[in-house]
Amino acid sequence: MASTVDPLPALSEHAPRVREDSSDFFGADPMLPAPYRIHKRRQELSDTFTLELAPADSSRSLAFGPGQFNMLYAFGAGEAPVSISGNPANPATLVHTIRAVGPVTEALWDLKSGDVLGVRGPFGAAWPVAEAEGSDVVIVAGGIGLAPLRPAIYHVLNQREKYGSVCIYYGARTPADILYRSELEKWRGQFDLTVDVTVDRATGKWSGKVGVVTRLVARGGFDPSQTVALVCGPEIMMRYAVKSLKQQGVANDRIYVSMERNMKCAVGFCGHCQLGPYFICRDGPVLRFDRIEPLFEIREL
Amino acid sequence: MATTLKISAASLAALFAVLGDAGRRILGPAEVDGRIELKAVRTLAEVAGDQIQPVLSAKETAFPRVERLLSYRMAPGKVELQDYDPEVQPTVLFGLRPCEAAGFNSLDAVFNWDTRDKFFNARREQLTVVGLSCTQADDACFCTSVGGGPGSTKGSDILLTPLPEGGYLAEILTERGEALKDLAPALFQPANGEDKEAMLAKVEPSFEHQGLAAKLPGLFTSDIWAEQSLRCIGCGACAFVCPTCVCFDIQEEADTKQGQRLRCWDSCGLRQFTLHASGHNPRSAQSERWRQRIYHKFGYFAERFGGPMCVGCGKCSRACPVDMNLKEHLTQVYEV
């Protein structure tokens, strides 16, 4: 009975909570969704769309930390956890980018402008954008993993002078799967940002980079000892992205990943989202990598 | 605030009438179709005396197997949401074994962790737990391995312990217990140095739970989880009967115009528990689900809340259709 796993980190070292932002919400019943109306629906990719929402019966704005998520409720179908992908400086409009992969997100897909859905949140720990001030920031995203990172990108760009070099490295399956393409192109045109995009498979007229996103990380563009890295994408992609960041010299306590698990209640009761000792709804979804490193190396948790 | 009194069997029978007159519902272990279940009783005579404990736990008095969270009605461009408060009734849980009573401490911790669950707490606040110490135990029992005991006061508002000379020692442990006693103070007498231990069952400890918790971090990739769970069929009965298991699912019951959301008991032993909409399942093998059950109860929960999420009642072992005995499995892990 071999024992190869390091002891788990103490729970007292949990990432700071961001829930104070939403005290108005948690004064009420956290299991009761608030009705929101769809103001705009935008098709992003063949299976991915963005909803812009505002409260259906009030003017309250939902302050959130970049990286936090809401439970979106398609009446009749159920709830799914979806990260917020809008600008935290503009909380009056709630923006969610959603990939239709299951019954709930497919029901959300069918909704039109003017329709009402339910929102509970915001929940969970945010990207450490305040702690990263003064550091270089490296953002590594894969596929729809760019959506939970976009609020962090907006935040950094809103307060660009507070950060050192900023790199955005993005990988998509094919050129047709590049999310927020026009925004990426706009950011790439800025002199104070390094933006690079790669695809797993070149299709159509793509003459950009082909390969995994970790190769972009290996090209550098940041000072590893002064860098905070924010990583979101499929677990296998995050595993290799972290490896690449560590090879560059970024310490594992300056790397943050956003994890995904099945969720039901989002307030630490229902038990579904546990990853080792952590409740992803409450202690995550953003977790400092050194805290989950022992678990990350093991398949099946 | 604990005070120790005595109550005779006749006075205890009289207390039932007092409680009924005071509008209290009394739930106690009683025979139903040859099984012992927690059911509404009016008299002490209805309470099953010679039994270890009911099949199901008392948790459903505060955390029912199905709870309606909300309902809604749809109109064009509009949704009307209806919130609910649970219907509650002042209830005395009479004759819970000390393990089951202690189970409420775990539930209280989870449902008030950092968000208060209004459904659980509304029901819980109506409960007064009158525990009954154990005079017998079976092979499934292991309360003394997880910080409890056949005469433990944990979780009880009043604990009754049978005395050799007849009657019961009555420990009044909380304000709720005090309030219950004050409904009929004349039925109680001062204690006089009676020996609480005289009639208690003997439950030899099989392992030591802090030591078990200390073992777990080093055993994550051990083969022991696969070995122990090879026969597990993933039915979830262990969680269903458990007084501390709190995991739930949220289900939708709806047509195109209206619907409701229901919270239902769930189990980490079920394959769908962690299944993502994408088809990815982070815990796809039964051994990983078994490991999660043990780590959550004896490692993660203990670290977060200061003790295991297990009271050693043995209900899971008695209910298991393939005879997995939790006490034996934990002892094996402890002795690795």
Side-chain angles (χ1 to χ4, degrees), chain B residues 100-165:
Chain B
E100 281 228 52
F104 279 107
N105 291 351
S106 277
L107 301 178
D108 289 342
V110 172
F111 281 120
N112 293 282
W113 175 15
D114 76 345
T115 308
R116 259 179 76 78
D117 182 68
K118 76 165 187 180
F119 300 96
F120 172 83
N121 284 293
R123 294 181 191 283
R124 176 72 176 107
E125 281 157 14
Q126 297 295 321
L127 299 179
T128 303
V129 177
V130 179
L132 180 60
S133 297
C134 298
T135 54
Q136 51 182 329
D138 68 11
D139 283 348
C141 292
F142 62 100
C143 54
T144 50
S145 302
V146 289
S152 167
T153 57
K154 282 183 191 172
S156 288
D157 296 303
I158 294 177
L159 180 67
L160 302 176
T161 302
L163 294 170
E165 58 272 28

Side-chain angles (χ1 to χ4, degrees), chain B residues 69 72 98 118 212 233 245 291 301:
Chain B
L69 300 175
Y72 61 85
K118 76 165 187 180
L212 175 72
I233 56 172
C245 269
R291 177 178 65 190
F301 184 94

Side-chain angles (χ1 to χ4, degrees), chain B:
Chain B
M1 80 164 302
T3 52
T4 302
L5 304 170
K6 277 196 306 194
I7 188 165
S8 69
S11 295
L12 190 59
L15 183 62
F16 272 65
V18 173
L19 292 173
D21 292 344
R24 303 288 199 281
R25 177 176 63 149
I26 309 172
L27 301 179
E31 201 177 305
V32 180
D33 298 333
R35 283 193 323 274
I36 302 298
E37 298 296 359
L38 199 65
K39 62 169 270 201
V41 292
R42 290 177 182 281
T43 64
L44 180 60
E46 292 171 68
V47 175
D50 183 31
Q51 47 98 18
I52 305 277
Q53 54 180 294
V55 177
L56 286 164
S57 85
K59 77 177 169 192
E60 67 179 314
T61 56
F63 173 44
R65 50 188 95 177
V66 178
E67 179 98 75
R68 181 174 56 180
L69 300 175
L70 62 91
S71 67
Y72 61 85
R73 233 169 229 291
M74 315 246 278
K78 194 171 123 182
V79 175
E80 280 168 25
L81 274 173
Q82 171 75 53
D83 196 5
Y84 289 96
D85 290 315
E87 284 173 27
V88 294
Q89 188 181 352
T91 298
V92 175
L93 298 179
F94 179 86
L96 291 198
R97 295 303 182 190
C99 50
E100 281 228 52
F104 279 107
N105 291 351
S106 277
L107 301 178
D108 289 342
V110 172
F111 281 120
N112 293 282
W113 175 15
D114 76 345
T115 308
R116 259 179 76 78
D117 182 68
K118 76 165 187 180
F119 300 96
F120 172 83
N121 284 293
R123 294 181 191 283
R124 176 72 176 107
E125 281 157 14
Q126 297 295 321
L127 299 179
T128 303
V129 177
V130 179
L132 180 60
S133 297
C134 298
T135 54
Q136 51 182 329
D138 68 11
D139 283 348
C141 292
F142 62 100
C143 54
T144 50
S145 302
V146 289
S152 167
T153 57
K154 282 183 191 172
S156 288
D157 296 303
I158 294 177
L159 180 67
L160 302 176
T161 302
L163 294 170
E165 58 272 28
Y168 302 84
L169 207 62
E171 294 172 86
I172 316 296
L173 299 156
T174 65
E175 278 174 30
R176 273 183 223 174
E178 197 76 32
L180 192 153
K181 182 211 74 180
D182 287 346
L183 291 173
L187 295 175
F188 295 83
Q189 300 160 286
N192 192 16
E194 282 81 0
D195 179 13
K196 180 180 168 182
E197 307 291 319
M199 300 266 296
L200 289 186
K202 299 284 173 283
V203 181
E204 290 302 324
S206 304
F207 60 90
E208 187 274 313
H209 67 92
Q210 286 101 342
L212 175 72
K215 278 269 170 72
L216 291 178
L219 290 175
F220 202 84
T221 52
S222 163
D223 294 333
I224 196 167
W225 313 113
E227 287 164 10
Q228 292 187 341
S229 63
L230 268 178
R231 60 182 160 165
C232 177
I233 56 172
C235 69
C238 47
F240 208 72
V241 299
C242 178
T244 67
C245 269
V246 69
C247 289
F248 60 81
D249 191 15
I250 298 179
Q251 290 283 338
E252 197 78 7
E253 267 189 9
D255 58 30
T256 53
K257 293 204 171 60
Q258 60 199 334
Q260 55 182 352
R261 274 173 86 62
L262 305 171
R263 170 162 102 181
C264 320
W265 289 356
D266 203 348
S267 168
C268 60
L270 304 176
R271 192 184 69 84
Q272 293 88 342
F273 190 73
T274 49
L275 183 64
H276 290 197
S278 66
H280 171 61
N281 195 341
R283 283 200 288 272
S284 57
Q286 199 60 41
S287 59
E288 289 142 9
R289 300 193 274 274
W290 171 247
R291 177 178 65 190
Q292 166 66 18
R293 183 167 181 79
I294 302 302
Y295 272 65
H296 184 207
K297 284 185 170 292
F298 299 93
Y300 311 146
F301 184 94
E303 194 186 339
R304 216 181 267 274
F305 295 113
M309 190 190 199
C310 172
V311 292
C313 64
K315 284 184 195 294
C316 53
S317 307
R318 293 183 206 102
C320 181
V322 292
D323 255 346
M324 289 176 74
N325 184 306
L326 187 60
K327 179 179 79 176
E328 289 170 10
H329 287 321
L330 293 174
T331 305
Q332 190 193 10
V333 174
Y334 178 71
E335 286 171 356
V336 168

